[in-house]
Amino acid sequence: MSKETLPLPLDYTAIERILPHRYPFLLVDRITEFEPDKRIVGVKNVSLNERNLAHPPEGGAPVLPPTILTEAVAQVGAIMILSKPENQQKLIFFMGIEKVR
């Protein structure tokens, strides 16, 4: 996909054509801004019904766990990479870095 074939905003259906993730693991709801190889802005809608929302035991405000936020950011980055023509139909994965002792 070139910049011309990415009409913004990208909705959930358009994102599903780029990423292999599906509900409940697809954490990006919309892409609102995109400059190839420079920047991308994604939106994750969160409501009180969010299945991953953590409710603190002492009545504090519910929060989205950092691991879920990190995955959402990674998915937005993957959209930036996979939208390039040479990367279409490829998978992105992270191979863990071993701790140096």
Side-chain angles (χ1 to χ4, degrees):
M1 290 174 215
S2 66
K3 186 175 181 181
E4 295 78 41
T5 62
L6 283 178
L8 296 178
L10 292 180
D11 63 9
Y12 198 84
T13 303
I15 292 168
E16 284 184 318
R17 286 193 294 269
I18 298 171
L19 292 180
H21 304 70
R22 296 296 178 261
Y23 177 84
F25 302 106
L26 181 54
L27 301 174
V28 183
D29 295 308
R30 190 169 55 255
I31 299 296
T32 58
E33 298 177 38
F34 180 70
E35 294 177 48
D37 296 325
K38 291 186 181 178
R39 63 188 295 273
I40 188 168
V41 176
V43 174
K44 163 73 174 132
N45 295 318
V46 179
S47 72
L48 289 176
N49 294 327
E50 174 72 39
R51 65 184 290 137
N52 297 310
L53 208 55
H55 297 273
E58 287 134 20
V63 295
L64 204 58
T67 52
I68 300 299
L69 290 172
T70 301
E71 177 61 23
V73 170
Q75 289 180 17
V76 171
I79 291 168
M80 176 179 260
I81 293 167
L82 292 173
S83 66
K84 296 178 80 167
E86 64 269 23
N87 295 329
Q88 288 181 6
Q89 305 302 317
K90 291 185 180 179
L91 294 177
I92 293 179
F93 62 94
F94 175 73
M95 301 275 296
I97 299 171
E98 289 187 27
K99 183 177 178 182
V100 178
R101 295 179 186 208

